[in-house]
Amino acid sequence: MSVNKIVSDDNRKVEISVVGRFDFSLHQHFRDSYSSNNDNNVEFNLNLSETTYMDSSALGMILLLKDHAENCSGKVVISKPSESVNKILEIAQFHRLLTIVT
Amino acid sequence: MASTLRDRNVKLALVVDDSAMQCKVLSVLLKEEGYRVFTANDGARGVAMYIKYSPDLVLMDINMPIMNGYEAARKIKSLSQDNSLCPLIFITSMDSDQAFIESIDAGGDGILVRPFSPEVFKAKIKSIQRISDLYAQVKTLQQEQQNDAELAEQLMSGVIESRNFAIDRIGIIKKAAELFSGDIQLTALAPNGDINAMLGDFTGHGLRSSIGAIPLAETFRTMTKKGFSLFEIINQINHQLYDLLPTDLFLGAGFASISSHDESVYLFNAGLPDVYLFSDKGIIKHKTSSSHPPLGVLPKLLPDSKLTVVSIEETDRVVLISDGIVEARNEQGEMFDFSRFEESVKQGVLQQNVSKIVLKSVNDFCQNMPQEDDISLIDIPCGGWEQDLVSSQGVESFSVEQLNDISLSTESAWHWQLSLTGSRLAAINPIPMAMSQINEIEGNAEHWQSLYTILTELFVNSLDHGVLGLSSDLKASAEGFSQYFLERERRLKNLIDGSIELQISHYPFPSGGRIIIKIIDSGQGFDIKEYYEKKALKSDDTSMLSGRGIVLVEQLCDSLDFQGKGNIVEVSYVWTT
């Protein structure tokens, strides 16, 4: 399990990827991955292509990221969720709250 | 024995050494530090003394007859209770890495190599005692926390589960992964006889996730009892949780309202696995998938949110589950999943105990694997509820004296009225408002249930057939029933003009009272004469789906009249105490 982050050269895009299980144990790592990016209009791209499992606390963490982004007039895009993760996002109807790119 | 020797302020030390001289030296130093000291000259005797006195500190030589220091240390550490560390220090003249490693392996908390100065010895004792004190403090806090958690859990389940409705007929599985379940199951009876049920799954587990459960349960029960519609209840719960909970805490929830009267179930799924409707053969008749983000995420429900209406038969069952069931895993890492779940419900329906069979299947599947998530289910039969309403309402008969009272009372004690127009009609349910007026003025009473039914039926009648102009012919078939609700929703949404006036007057008499309800709608009305003729013809057919509302009202009232062009209805409801 790990959280990786890539920031674009112009600081406009932050890609966060979660590898393996995305659950409460990643709470601190996940928060650390975005909390220092306070610039305005940043697009946070949450890459879930290598996430094998996600629980409801992970959904909560995504909502915290969304709050953070919106406080800086930015946005969150979830990209390439794996099939099992997408199912969880679907049950939670997260596509009504965020952009999800499959 | 040991306890009579213990004075809480005096710490006990045990010195185990085969040299009487060494014992003496260490004893003197320990006494200077305020310890009361016991000595033993071999390992076996040391263990015996440890059992007898449970000291706060043990000093242990390594090379001793009968039982050496390592063995004695292992015995002592295996005996020491969970809530005290009882530090053990090896005292030796073997200054080797090997001795150091073995000491720690044997359970020692430190090693002192001779020769050492009295100051070094005392410093070592102080540092080890500090660690021991910290350990005891942590243990005490942990114990207190555990006690508090158990108390809170008792209170919580007292508030929540014990007040559920019909726990004898509604099957519930509640198997928490921790002391506190993040899952919550609620059932309640609405004044019109509908059964409301909710299965909720808060984010995470433990105390943190059950914090929202009490306000949630209160809102669900109070609003159900006051007669708010399921949708209004969901709307309020969402709003409340949004206000109350932090961003990352929310509630996946499934709702079902079973209406024997409408022969329908109203369903809503916000973030739970599919909600099921099973037939009496265990066949899946319907599934409602999640159509809304979990509650407490958004300040308001999404604008296109609506309940799903499904026709039911008396023998059907509604089953709600949390993801803990389908995601339960066995040793091979496989999930229980939907196909096993559906099959187990089928077996459960056939054996007439859904909750028991499903729980057994999950347990058999998981064997000894630790439970990762809360497991919960609600299984509600769709039939057999009407008697709950009838038994609590029943039409009373009056004595001659009472009838005199009734005819004598002509003076109204109070009058309440409310006019709703246009889009307000779609947004506001006036019945709970009317009921709360009556409750406030006349006090709470069981027989207001009948009044609630009367008001609801008449209001819905005026709104549907009067203002919205819906024909009840649509409801003649089970399929038409759903279509009727879709059409109703569409027309309500587009409602611009139209009005309903609701008037309630109360005429008290010595042992009871009369309430006159008059409802005037802006609709076209209907041919009253034709209605009564038709009604006379249909009177034997009790299975018809429409018109039962008015029949029920007639049973509960002592008179019902349609007036004007059929757009005015007036009923009189009399009760005695």
Side-chain angles (χ1 to χ4, degrees):
Chain A
M1 293 190 290
S2 66
V3 181
N4 306 314
K5 165 166 112 166
I6 303 166
V7 182
S8 68
D9 294 335
D10 60 356
N11 279 327
R12 282 275 164 268
K13 290 195 170 185
V14 176
E15 179 172 301
I16 300 167
S17 45
V18 179
V19 182
R21 277 175 81 90
F22 188 7
D23 60 19
F24 196 76
S25 61
L26 288 182
H27 198 76
Q28 199 54 46
H29 287 301
F30 188 74
R31 191 195 294 251
D32 292 346
S33 74
Y34 63 80
S35 55
S36 57
N37 295 84
N38 295 313
D39 294 349
N40 275 352
N41 303 311
V42 173
E43 183 183 308
F44 291 90
N45 184 330
L46 179 59
N47 184 331
L48 300 178
S49 58
E50 289 179 73
T51 310
T52 50
Y53 171 82
M54 189 163 82
D55 70 357
S56 61
S57 26
L59 293 172
M61 290 185 251
I62 295 174
L63 290 178
L64 288 173
L65 169 63
K66 178 172 174 272
D67 269 10
H68 175 84
E70 285 168 359
N71 282 338
C72 316
S73 332
K75 63 182 246 174
V76 176
V77 174
I78 296 178
S79 68
K80 305 182 203 112
S82 62
E83 200 186 322
S84 59
V85 167
N86 196 41
K87 208 169 179 183
I88 290 160
L89 290 168
E90 217 164 75
I91 287 179
Q93 294 280 297
F94 262 40
H95 60 277
R96 318 278 292 258
L97 310 171
L98 303 150
T99 311
I100 301 178
V101 185
T102 48
Chain B
M1 237 188 351
S3 61
T4 54
L5 284 166
R6 294 305 295 253
D7 174 344
R8 279 181 183 279
N9 295 315
V10 180
K11 294 205 177 272
L12 304 186
L14 173 64
V15 178
V16 189
D17 200 313
D18 58 343
S19 150
M21 182 58 198
Q22 288 298 341
C23 282
K24 187 78 190 160
V25 172
L26 294 176
S27 295
V28 169
L29 290 173
L30 284 164
K31 278 176 187 160
E32 282 173 19
E33 286 301 295
Y35 283 90
R36 188 169 168 193
V37 187
F38 301 94
T39 58
N41 298 116
D42 64 69
R45 179 123 183 87
V47 174
M49 297 277 272
Y50 176 85
I51 294 169
K52 191 169 174 188
Y53 298 111
S54 2
D56 302 290
L57 173 69
V58 179
L59 300 180
M60 182 76 72
D61 186 15
I62 294 175
N63 291 319
M64 286 181 294
I66 305 176
M67 186 190 282
N68 72 20
Y70 296 138
E71 202 184 335
R74 285 204 174 84
K75 284 235 156 78
I76 285 174
K77 282 292 176 179
S78 73
L79 287 166
S80 76
Q81 284 150 1
D82 288 340
N83 53 356
S84 72
L85 175 66
C86 182
L88 187 148
I89 303 173
F90 283 103
I91 310 275
T92 178
S93 40
M94 295 193 290
D95 187 8
S96 69
D97 286 357
Q98 188 57 33
F100 188 85
I101 292 163
E102 271 192 62
S103 308
I104 303 301
D105 274 354
D109 300 291
I111 181 164
L112 260 177
V113 181
R114 287 193 193 99
F116 46 76
S117 68
E119 286 69 31
V120 166
F121 176 78
K122 286 177 182 174
K124 182 78 184 171
I125 299 301
K126 266 189 197 134
S127 87
I128 208 90
Q129 197 59 58
R130 208 178 291 156
I131 294 169
S132 173
D133 289 349
L134 266 177
Y135 186 85
Q137 212 177 341
V138 168
K139 280 292 174 189
T140 312
L141 282 173
Q142 205 176 34
Q143 190 60 49
E144 276 173 17
Q145 195 190 19
Q146 174 80 9
N147 292 347
D148 287 353
E150 273 167 26
L151 177 69
E153 203 276 332
Q154 270 176 14
L155 274 176
M156 204 89 107
S157 52
V159 169
I160 295 162
E161 271 99 44
S162 67
R163 291 171 57 197
N164 271 341
F165 173 72
I167 37 179
D168 53 332
R169 277 180 286 169
I170 296 174
I172 287 181
I173 298 178
K174 184 185 186 71
K175 195 167 172 241
E178 291 178 33
L179 186 59
F180 282 100
S181 176
D183 286 3
I184 174 167
Q185 300 94 342
L186 298 172
T187 59
L189 175 68
N192 61 351
D194 289 359
I195 310 299
N196 286 353
M198 189 209 88
L199 192 149
D201 180 357
F202 279 105
T203 331
H205 330 278
L207 182 56
R208 183 181 142 79
S209 71
S210 42
I211 225 89
I214 288 182
L216 166 66
E218 286 306 310
T219 304
F220 180 82
R221 284 209 184 89
T222 311
M223 288 187 76
T224 298
K225 203 172 157 194
K226 283 194 173 170
F228 285 93
S229 76
L230 186 63
F231 193 75
E232 289 166 309
I233 297 174
I234 296 167
N235 199 27
Q236 179 59 30
I237 287 176
N238 178 63
H239 182 71
Q240 186 185 32
L241 293 179
Y242 179 79
D243 273 355
L244 216 59
L245 301 180
T247 306
D248 58 338
L249 199 51
F250 45 79
L251 177 81
F255 294 84
S257 179
I258 291 178
S259 168
S260 305
H261 170 237
D262 292 351
E263 294 185 7
S264 298
V265 60
Y266 299 79
L267 301 167
F268 191 76
N269 185 346
L272 277 197
D274 290 353
V275 174
Y276 287 84
L277 181 70
F278 285 94
S279 78
D280 60 343
K281 301 278 183 293
I283 308 296
I284 299 164
K285 292 177 79 171
H286 174 84
K287 285 197 252 187
T288 294
S289 301
S290 170
S291 63
H292 197 280
L295 303 185
V297 173
L298 295 164
K300 280 183 176 168
L301 293 181
L302 292 170
D304 62 347
S305 310
K306 59 174 189 234
L307 303 179
T308 306
V309 192
V310 187
S311 306
I312 48 169
E313 286 170 54
E314 288 225 330
T315 49
D316 293 344
R317 310 189 79 89
V318 174
V319 177
L320 301 145
I321 52 168
S322 69
D323 55 8
I325 287 193
V326 284
E327 287 176 9
R329 288 190 289 183
N330 66 8
E331 257 170 87
Q332 287 75 45
E334 292 171 296
M335 295 203 293
F336 187 64
D337 235 323
F338 290 96
S339 56
R340 285 189 191 87
F341 163 71
E342 287 163 8
E343 179 57 29
S344 67
V345 175
K346 185 177 176 179
Q347 293 310 317
V349 169
L350 295 175
Q351 296 176 45
Q352 296 180 346
N353 197 336
V354 173
S355 51
K356 189 177 154 196
I357 303 287
V358 172
L359 185 60
K360 187 176 178 302
S361 308
V362 175
N363 287 341
D364 289 351
F365 177 78
C366 295
Q367 297 288 350
N368 300 318
M369 284 295 283
Q371 187 185 340
E372 293 171 66
D373 196 0
D374 300 328
I375 286 175
S376 57
L377 169 149
I378 305 182
D379 157 47
I380 321 149
C382 290
W385 299 110
E386 245 157 1
Q387 72 227 37
D388 287 285
L389 186 64
V390 172
S391 64
S392 63
Q393 293 190 335
V395 181
E396 296 150 76
S397 54
F398 304 106
S399 66
V400 178
E401 293 80 29
Q402 283 171 331
L403 283 171
N404 282 339
D405 280 350
I406 294 165
S407 54
L408 282 172
S409 85
T410 51
E411 214 167 295
S412 141
W414 53 263
H415 180 81
W416 183 86
Q417 104 178 46
L418 178 75
S419 294
L420 290 171
T421 51
S423 58
R424 290 276 166 195
L425 270 172
I428 294 171
N429 179 357
I431 308 307
M433 295 161 83
M435 288 312 296
S436 93
Q437 287 297 321
I438 294 170
N439 274 320
E440 254 169 54
I441 302 171
E442 299 299 327
N444 197 358
E446 282 299 310
H447 56 252
W448 294 144
Q449 279 206 347
S450 309
L451 203 59
Y452 175 89
T453 307
I454 295 166
L455 276 167
T456 307
E457 291 300 337
L458 294 179
F459 177 73
V460 169
N461 221 37
S462 301
L463 182 60
D464 286 15
H465 306 314
V467 176
L468 299 179
L470 288 159
S471 164
S472 59
D473 293 346
L474 255 182
K475 292 198 280 186
S477 73
E479 300 78 47
F481 220 81
S482 306
Q483 207 184 327
Y484 177 88
F485 278 96
L486 284 175
E487 182 59 23
R488 178 179 196 269
E489 212 168 294
R490 195 185 62 79
R491 292 193 192 182
L492 260 184
K493 210 179 233 170
N494 300 325
L495 191 61
I496 301 161
D497 46 15
S499 68
I500 290 182
E501 189 175 321
L502 178 63
Q503 302 176 0
I504 301 173
S505 312
H506 178 230
Y507 300 84
F509 42 84
S511 56
R514 179 206 294 272
I515 285 195
I516 304 283
I517 300 164
K518 193 168 182 177
I519 298 180
I520 305 156
D521 70 64
S522 61
Q524 295 302 309
F526 60 93
D527 188 331
I528 299 174
K529 201 171 152 229
E530 191 195 27
Y531 167 80
Y532 282 111
E533 282 167 4
K534 262 191 173 175
K535 189 171 156 265
L537 286 173
K538 277 191 187 173
S539 61
D540 292 338
D541 183 6
T542 52
S543 70
M544 60 181 180
L545 288 167
S546 61
R548 290 180 312 152
I550 294 303
V551 175
L552 181 63
V553 172
E554 282 184 320
Q555 281 172 4
L556 295 169
C557 296
D558 61 316
S559 75
L560 180 147
D561 289 307
F562 287 107
Q563 300 167 0
K565 51 183 182 171
N567 64 324
I568 302 172
V569 62
E570 185 176 301
V571 302
S572 155
Y573 172 70
V574 172
W575 80 93
T576 55
T577 48

